[in-house]
Each structure stands twice: as structure tokens, then as C-alpha cells.
Amino acid sequence: MASASSSIQQIPYYKNYWVSRMLSSIAFQMLSVAIGWQMYELTHDAFSLGLVGLAQFLPMVLLTLVVGHFADRYDRRYIVFLCQIVEGLIALLLLSGSLTNSLGQHHILLMAAVLGACRAFEGPSSSALLPQLVPKEFLQQAISWNTSVGQLSQILGPSMGGLLYWAGSSFVYTAASLALLTAGVLTFFIRSTPIVRKSEPVSLRSLFSGIMFVYRQPIILGTISLDLFAVLLGGATALLPIFSQDILHTGPWGLGLMRTSPAIGALLMSIVLVYYPLKKAVGYILFAALAVFGLATMFFAVSSHLFISLVALFFIGASDVISVIIRSSLVQLQTPDEMRGRVNAVNSLFIGTSNQLGEFESGTLAGFIGAVPAVFVGGLGTIAIAGLWMFLFPSLRKMRTLSEPS
């Protein structure tokens, strides 16, 4: 299996793609930390922080249909390249504003919105580009490597952003701009397998075709909707500050450990799946992973010891990444290339929506019944959803391999 992993890294231009994606992801996490801190320094208003998150999230929702159409109509390499260059220029504008003390609240919100729009285009286009670089037999391992990049960026990005911001916001913006511009250069020199593109005019039918395709494919619809509802109910991360302060009594250092633990679990599991890709009983593995996710969430809810909580969060991250890799692999393997941009855009919308709404659901429920019951009920709900989906989508339950026709 190690030779298979080595083969992936030796595929022409895949290393460009992988390093570019890593630099872009880490830089975005660094920028998110710096923008949030700078906004709070300017306003000392928690509501302003919420506006920053909203400014980054709204473009993804509003542009989903347009993004998918662009990714299927134009060269995906150049879409990713242009997004990374624009993001790098935004980082330079933030650097300039920071050095001249000319950044205001509205400037930061505008920059955050542009970054959100660029990420909305970059994510689906980058995901849809991958099958043009990697042979079908290596696609699952490549997706596992990409998932490890995402988890690594969630660990390194915020910590690097925080450390650099301690020295000054200009250091964060300088590092992020260099990383993004380097990522753009690497993407520019990628050469992918050419595909025949249809000159399909922009219409309501073409814009909504990605949603209709997902709706007509039971396996893709089942796994995307399953992940949406499972994360929606099982999102405990939004309540970690409550557990850190009021239940485990650890303070900020414990909160940092708890935020890192799921990412470490996900990172290690994604690396394991590079060397040992899923080849049999994929449907049952998916539902088993969700059951572990639900049980680990319930254990975390009732834990009163930091070590047990960290172990539970580790298993939450490790089991969740199995679902992520299965879903991503299915989208790539069971979608024709001319539709991949639109379907990946729908997939990105589901991911973003589940994370954002999951935090909202957890916070709202905790406000009514308390943090511990809310997280416990969420874990129980995840298991219930998994059981229900096994009967609603029998083709997903019986799926043996990721390339099996839907």
C-alpha cells in the first residue's frame, strides 16, 4: 500500500496541486484568525465578529449555482489560479491598511466577503479538477491526502496566525499573501487531462442541473444528506467553551486541546486511508463510522475528565473523516466530468450549511436544556438518523465499492 501512496505523489503535477491546496488552506485559516482579531480590536463588539463570519459564509450560499456552472464551462485550473491570486492581493491590501492604520470595520467586512466569494469558487473548482490529474484507481487515496491537507490546515493555520499576530498583524498578512501567491503560481503551471466542454448557455436549467443530478442519484443523495443531518445534530464543537469552563474547569488551555483533538483524529485517519483505502462493504463502513461518531459524542457529553473528553473528541474526528472521504470519493467517481463542477458546488453547500447550522442548532438546544443534554441528544440523534437512512437508502447500505454504479 505504501507504493500506491508513493505513486500518487509521483503523478505529474499532482504535487503542484497538493502543495498549492495546502498553502491556500493554511493561508485562509491564518487570514480568518487575523481578520477576526483585528475586527475585535477595532470594535470590541462580539456582534462584529459574527458579521465577519456571515460575510465569509453568505457568498458560498448565494454563489453556489453560479460557481458550479463556471467550473463546468471554463478551465478549472484558471479559476483556481485567479481565486488564489485575488486572495493574495486581498491579503496585500489588508497588509497595506494595517501598516497605514487605515483599516475600518467596513473595509474588513468587504475584504472578508471577497475572500468568501473566492473560496466559494476555488473549493468546487479545485475538487472537480482532481479527477483530471489522478487516474481513477488512485482517486480515493488522493482524496485522503487532500482531506489530510484540510485537517492539517485547521491545526497549523489558526496557531500560526495567532503566533504571527502576536508579533503584529502585518506579519500574518505578509505570510498569507506569500503563501497564496505561491499557490497561484503552482496552480498556473499544472497541466491536466483536457476534457470536452459543452458550450451550454446560462439558464435556470443549467444552473439547477447539479441539484437535479444529485436528486436523481440515490447513493450520492443518500450520503450527502446523511452527512448533513448527522453533522447538524452531532455538532458539539460550538459548545466546547462551555465544557471547558463550566464542566471540565480547564480554562483556555483545555479549550485549545479540545479544539485540536478532533483535527488530530481526522488527520491520522485520513493518512491511514491513504495506505489502506476502502475496498469492501463501503456502505456498512459508512454507517458504522456514523454510529461511532454518535457514541463518541454521547461519551463526550457525559465525561467529567479532560482525558476521556479528548479521547472522545479524537474518535469524533476520526469517524467523521471516514464519512467525508466516502462522500467526496462518491461525488468524484459517480459524476460525469461535465457535471463535476456543479455537483461539487452542491456538495460544498451541504458541507458549509451543516457546519454552520449545526453550531446554531447546538447553541439553541443548549440554551433550552443545557449543554450536556444537548450534546448527548445530538449524539443519540446521529445514531437514529444513521438507522433511518439505512432503510431510506438501501442502495447506499448495500454499496460494496465506491465505484459501484448508483
Side-chain angles (χ1 to χ4, degrees), residues 307-318:
F307 177 76
I308 296 175
S309 298
L310 293 176
V311 171
L313 288 167
F314 177 91
F315 278 98
I316 287 174

Side-chain angles (χ1 to χ4, degrees), residues 374-396:
V375 174
F376 189 87
V377 169
L380 191 62
T382 298
I383 296 173
I385 288 291
L388 179 61
W389 255 240
M390 289 181 73
F391 291 97
L392 291 178
F393 297 92
S395 57
L396 179 59

Side-chain angles (χ1 to χ4, degrees), residues 44-256:
H44 298 285
D45 180 18
F47 180 70
S48 297
L49 292 178
L51 289 178
V52 172
L54 187 65
Q56 291 179 331
F57 175 68
L58 274 183
M60 184 186 71
V61 176
L62 298 176
L63 295 173
T64 295
L65 301 180
V66 177
V67 166
H69 184 85
F70 268 75
D72 286 333
R73 189 170 184 178
Y74 302 104
D75 193 319
R76 292 158 185 161
R77 293 171 301 159
Y78 295 135
I79 295 175
V80 176
F81 163 74
L82 287 173
C83 287
Q84 290 169 339
I85 294 300
V86 171
E87 290 166 26
L89 294 176
I90 290 294
L92 288 175
L93 286 174
L94 287 165
L95 171 62
S96 175
S98 182
L99 290 174
T100 59
N101 293 317
S102 59
L103 276 182
Q105 179 180 359
H106 299 298
H107 298 119
I108 292 177
L109 288 176
L110 178 61
M111 306 278 187
V114 175
L115 283 173
C118 288
R119 296 294 292 182
F121 275 90
E122 182 184 348
S125 300
S126 179
S127 296
L129 174 63
L130 181 60
Q132 295 176 238
L133 302 175
V134 177
K136 196 173 183 178
E137 61 269 24
F138 291 127
L139 192 56
Q140 186 192 151
Q141 288 107 313
I143 290 172
S144 297
W145 272 122
N146 286 358
T147 305
S148 71
V149 165
Q151 298 303 324
L152 190 63
S153 69
Q154 289 185 32
I155 297 171
L156 293 180
S159 58
M160 290 173 63
L163 286 172
L164 287 173
Y165 197 93
W166 178 75
S169 59
S170 59
F171 288 90
V172 185
Y173 297 137
T174 300
S177 62
L178 288 174
L180 287 164
L181 294 175
T182 302
V185 171
L186 289 171
T187 300
F188 182 79
F189 287 105
I190 288 175
R191 296 294 176 266
S192 60
T193 303
I195 61 173
V196 178
R197 300 183 186 278
K198 297 180 181 179
S199 298
E200 189 176 0
V202 178
S203 65
L204 286 177
R205 181 178 179 180
S206 67
L207 291 176
F208 282 91
S209 56
I211 295 175
M212 295 307 299
F213 179 87
V214 171
Y215 179 75
R216 295 191 186 107
Q217 305 296 317
I219 286 181
I220 296 180
L221 176 62
T223 189
I224 289 180
S225 60
L226 176 61
D227 187 76
L228 169 66
F229 286 104
V231 174
L232 183 65
L233 291 174
T237 54
L239 303 179
L240 289 182
I242 298 176
F243 279 84
S244 174
Q245 182 172 343
D246 299 336
I247 297 169
L248 300 175
H249 308 290
T250 61
W253 65 273
L255 176 61

Side-chain angles (χ1 to χ4, degrees), residues 283-320:
Y284 285 106
I285 290 174
L286 172 62
F287 287 107
L290 283 167
V292 171
F293 180 91
L295 286 171
T297 301
M298 294 164 69
F299 270 104
F300 172 77
V302 299
S303 169
S304 57
H305 299 281
L306 179 61
F307 177 76
I308 296 175
S309 298
L310 293 176
V311 171
L313 288 167
F314 177 91
F315 278 98
I316 287 174
S319 56
D320 181 53

